[in-house]
Amino acid sequence: MNKSRPVNLDISTIKLPAAALVSILHRLSGVVLFAVVALLLCMLDASLESEQGFADVAAAFSSIPAKLILWASLAALIYHLLAGIRHLFMDMGIGESLEGGRRGAVAVLVLSAILILLVGVWLW
């Protein structure tokens, strides 16, 4: 048995590489999008039922919690889209090396942060 192996791994001290962080966040954003689609479909159904339902949904979108939910939804969509494009590039053989993967991951993180902030400014 190798005695140099760690006995008690503290996950909070492990530093993930950028590519691993992008991968984890890509999966998380997909789960968020799945939940948001259900919510948005329910709101679409309510808005199409009657004029009062449409007015209720329109009034709900003017509240701050609804704007935060919409911003989080758009943030998940933006991030998931950019990370998906990165995966498509990697499927074409672009950025498959270790350095290329790191650069692509950092580019996804930076571009998504910029776009998410711009959407937040636009919503308010």
Side-chain angles (χ1 to χ4, degrees):
M1 185 163 164
N2 188 356
K3 297 290 183 184
S4 64
R5 290 181 42 187
V7 176
N8 190 7
L9 235 97
D10 184 11
I11 297 201
S12 64
T13 61
I14 297 174
K15 185 178 182 309
L16 292 173
L21 183 63
V22 166
S23 178
I24 291 168
L25 291 175
H26 188 228
R27 293 165 196 257
L28 185 65
S29 67
V31 171
V32 168
L33 285 175
F34 183 77
V36 165
V37 165
L39 175 67
L40 291 177
L41 284 175
C42 288
M43 293 179 83
L44 177 65
D45 181 49
S47 71
L48 293 176
E49 275 184 10
S50 65
E51 282 187 40
Q52 182 60 39
F54 181 81
D56 292 343
V57 170
F61 270 121
S62 65
S63 70
I64 293 205
K67 284 185 179 182
L68 286 173
I69 290 171
L70 182 62
W71 179 68
S73 305
L74 290 172
L77 181 64
I78 289 167
Y79 182 81
H80 199 76
L81 177 70
L82 291 176
I85 290 171
R86 174 182 174 258
H87 280 287
L88 287 175
F89 277 123
M90 290 177 74
D91 287 344
M92 292 186 293
I94 301 168
E96 284 184 325
S97 67
L98 187 61
E99 182 62 26
R102 190 190 66 75
R103 285 185 182 178
V106 170
V108 165
L109 291 171
V110 169
L111 281 173
S112 61
I114 291 169
L115 290 174
I116 289 168
L117 287 174
L118 287 175
V119 165
V121 169
W122 175 71
L123 279 176
W124 301 106

